[in-house]
Amino acid sequence: MATDAASSGAPRTFLSLPNPDSASFRWLCLAIGAFTWLLSVGGRWDIALAAWFAPIFLLRFLRDSTPVVGLGLCWLVSVAGCVYWGVQLGIPIQLSWLISLVYGTIFSLPFFADRLLTPRMGVIGKLLVFPAAYAAIEWIMGSFSPLGTSSGLRAISQTENLPLLQLVAVTGPYGIGFLINSLGTTANLLWERPASAKAHKAAIVYGVILLIVLFGGAARMAFSAPPEAYVRMAGITPSMHAQEAARSMIEGRQPGTGDAIVDPDVIKAATGLFESKEELAETDPKVTQAAFNVVYDDLLASTRAAAQAGAKVVIWSETAASVASQADLPELLAKVGQVAREENIYINVAVGQPFSRNQTHLVGPDGNPVWSYDKNYPVPVLEPVEPRMSPVPVAQTPFGRLSSVICFDGDFPALNRVNSDIMIIPGFDWPEVGRMHTLKAARLRAIENGYALIRIAYHSQSAAFDRLGNVLATQDTTGPDAHIMYADVPAKGARTLYNRTGDVLGWMSFAGIIAAIAFALFRRKTS
């Protein structure tokens, strides 16, 4: 009678698979899970399918291991993923390690929930605890943490799959993570109970839901009514040559005799042309204003060029212009207002008061300000500006309802949930983070809310999207010259279910986990 190699003691060949009940198989699952987890952290080098494989193999390792070993190593994988995320995005190492430890620990909590709660539950618990816990963590961090959804959000790894992404118009960004992690628990239920009718039914139900999501998203994209009207918009980033000339005035040297300003470590958002508060205080106010005027002239020249090319709305990148104090702001807005009147355009003026304020001001064709908005979420540690709880403005124009947030504000879904047709986001990034921030994270806000979105980012990547997430225009802005990006943007949005109802999935997931904990404690007490 024939026997297999493992039972007969025969040596394994190179192609032999480990026994599913063996220790070597558990370690193989950990290796595959960890590798695919690192490839789906929401960075520059994500592989979309990796996000779907990671929970399958990590949960398999976790459930087959002792709690101490399984949870300890899953925690380590989560922290390593955050470290790798920071490396990809060029985050300063001293800040990256702190973020990685905190966020890695928080995003490992769903593994703790699965390992500690599901042994006391039936099929429903084994299927839903992990995805609900992960969705709840995504929602809590996206709503209450200082980094928003910039780290840990599974949806960011899927941004090239537009049919799938249409789900966020219903559930918000947290529905993608719930769906991905549900595949992990469904696959593991089949793994554990291959002959179980309940496991087969669960797999069928999941497959049907996944098909509905994918085909429904594809149908939404295929059959959405085409826009009836467009508005030509232009995004402007200031010339680094003009900034270098302005910087030379502050330093008291001839232009071109110092290092050219091509690095965001020299010119930072919300600090203007100055490297420190002390330098700002010690510089003659007349010199400061003369330096600011050099940049103003550059921006206004680009604004006129964009208007003469047909743009009806011109957007400046974050803190493109600077003022020494709020008392100087009316003079700048008066200069912008004159251009707006002469060219009959709207101008979204992005202004930084060094080390103090980060604002946008929409100036209308009559030359008067339409709104003033302060950045709600300055980047922690990197941006020395006080957060200000400023309501997101919405202005009715001939080109639909315009709204604006500023750069990092776009990483907070609840803040961006406004009834608008076009969302304007001035940004300021560094090259490593730019493409991810614009082409991945910002795109989600457009689909979630059903509005077009245009993000104009200095030293980074600019782009415009329609309400379905299609790219309308994009431009690399890391070169030293002034950049003007043009985009014909749909002038009418279509408000989504998520925009109307908010984070229902997040609340339900959080409530579900609380109920699961209570149920597990009750079962333990009664047993």
Side-chain angles (χ1 to χ4, degrees):
M1 183 174 179
T3 59
D4 61 72
S7 62
S8 66
R12 282 191 136 133
T13 67
F14 178 74
L15 294 177
S16 297
L17 293 175
N19 186 325
D21 296 324
S22 68
S24 58
F25 185 75
R26 290 197 299 275
W27 294 115
L28 176 63
C29 287
L30 175 64
I32 296 173
F35 179 69
T36 50
W37 186 274
L38 293 177
L39 294 177
S40 54
V41 294
R44 291 186 289 157
W45 306 320
D46 284 347
I47 296 176
L49 280 177
W52 299 80
F53 284 105
I56 296 175
F57 290 97
L58 287 177
L59 286 175
R60 184 72 267 133
F61 169 78
L62 177 68
R63 293 181 180 183
D64 284 344
S65 303
T66 63
V68 172
V69 172
L71 291 173
L73 289 176
C74 284
W75 170 83
L76 188 61
V77 169
S78 182
V79 172
C82 288
V83 172
Y84 190 53
W85 169 82
V87 169
Q88 292 184 58
L89 301 187
I91 296 175
I93 190 65
Q94 65 274 19
L95 182 60
S96 178
W97 279 106
L98 177 62
I99 294 172
S100 299
L101 185 61
V102 173
Y103 267 64
T105 299
I106 291 172
F107 277 96
S108 71
L109 293 179
F111 292 104
F112 282 77
D114 184 88
R115 187 64 178 87
L116 301 178
L117 299 180
T118 57
R120 303 180 183 279
M121 297 181 175
V123 170
I124 299 299
K126 287 183 176 292
L127 288 171
L128 295 183
V129 164
F130 184 75
Y134 202 94
I137 292 296
E138 285 188 326
W139 167 66
I140 290 170
M141 299 304 283
S143 301
F144 304 108
S145 85
L147 295 184
T149 57
S150 58
S151 178
L153 187 68
R154 281 304 191 206
I156 291 179
S157 69
Q158 306 296 307
T159 46
E160 296 306 316
N161 187 346
L162 286 183
L164 172 67
L165 282 195
Q166 303 310 308
L167 177 64
V168 305
V170 178
T171 65
Y174 317 117
I176 300 293
F178 192 97
L179 188 66
I180 288 173
N181 290 310
S182 293
L183 175 62
T185 55
T186 303
N188 273 278
L189 185 65
L190 280 172
W191 209 323
E192 296 162 3
R193 307 180 185 184
S196 168
K198 289 184 178 180
H200 293 167
K201 289 179 182 178
I204 292 171
V205 169
Y206 180 83
V208 170
I209 291 173
L210 182 60
L211 288 175
I212 289 173
V213 169
L214 293 175
F215 280 96
R220 183 174 189 255
M221 297 186 68
F223 299 112
S224 290
E228 296 180 359
Y230 292 84
V231 54
R232 172 155 288 192
M233 306 182 79
I236 290 172
T237 63
S239 163
M240 292 183 187
H241 299 299
Q243 291 178 320
E244 198 279 332
R247 180 68 188 164
S248 68
M249 297 175 68
I250 294 170
E251 295 180 349
R253 59 177 172 82
Q254 291 296 317
T257 59
D259 293 332
I261 297 174
V262 295
D263 192 322
D265 288 337
V266 177
I267 295 297
K268 299 181 177 68
T271 66
L273 297 168
F274 293 91
E275 297 185 33
S276 67
K277 291 182 179 180
E278 291 73 20
E279 184 183 50
L280 173 63
E282 293 169 359
T283 303
D284 186 329
K286 293 182 179 179
V287 173
T288 297
Q289 191 57 55
F292 287 165
N293 286 337
V294 171
V295 180
Y296 296 169
D297 292 343
D298 174 76
L299 289 166
L300 293 174
S302 293
T303 299
R304 287 189 185 276
Q308 291 163 12
K312 298 300 181 183
V313 181
V314 177
I315 304 149
W316 294 2
S317 62
E318 182 182 13
T319 60
S322 299
V323 293
S325 70
Q326 291 295 294
D328 298 324
L329 183 60
E331 182 179 350
L332 169 60
L333 294 181
K335 292 181 178 181
V336 174
Q338 180 180 350
V339 175
R341 282 193 303 272
E342 292 172 356
E343 303 294 344
N344 192 33
I345 58 173
Y346 286 86
I347 305 174
N348 194 52
V349 185
V351 184
Q353 180 183 339
F355 309 100
S356 180
R357 302 285 286 271
N358 188 339
Q359 302 172 299
T360 63
H361 305 271
L362 183 66
V363 177
D366 60 358
N368 295 318
V370 177
W371 75 49
S372 294
Y373 171 76
D374 277 273
K375 190 174 187 178
N376 278 248
Y377 294 99
V379 181
V381 180
L382 299 181
E383 190 173 359
V385 173
E386 288 294 323
R388 297 173 184 270
M389 293 298 102
S390 181
V392 176
V394 179
Q396 185 67 52
T397 74
F399 319 114
R401 292 159 298 182
L402 303 183
S403 296
S404 178
V405 295
I406 301 174
C407 196
F408 198 53
D409 287 345
D411 288 71
F412 296 82
L415 180 67
N416 290 259
R417 205 167 56 242
V418 296
N419 186 11
S420 178
D421 295 306
I422 302 173
M423 174 61 75
I424 296 168
I425 305 183
F428 190 122
D429 296 318
W430 56 94
E432 292 87 352
V433 77
R435 290 185 63 82
M436 184 284 297
H437 214 175
T438 296
L439 298 179
K440 293 186 175 185
R443 177 185 290 188
L444 290 173
R445 305 292 90 84
I447 306 172
E448 289 163 12
N449 296 287
Y451 48 54
L453 184 148
I454 181 166
R455 187 175 192 271
I456 305 303
Y458 174 83
H459 200 65
S460 173
Q461 191 83 23
S462 296
F465 308 93
D466 67 13
R467 65 183 181 86
L468 301 175
N470 294 300
V471 177
L472 303 175
T474 187
Q475 182 184 58
D476 185 293
T477 63
T478 55
D481 297 324
H483 297 88
I484 304 177
M485 186 191 80
Y486 298 96
D488 293 325
V489 178
K492 180 66 177 176
R495 200 174 180 190
T496 64
L497 180 64
Y498 174 70
N499 184 273
R500 295 175 184 275
T501 61
D503 292 314
V504 174
L505 177 64
W507 282 105
M508 290 179 62
S509 297
F510 179 73
I513 291 303
I514 298 300
I517 294 172
F519 178 77
L521 292 174
F522 174 77
R523 287 287 298 271
R524 180 179 181 181
K525 182 178 180 180
T526 56
S527 63

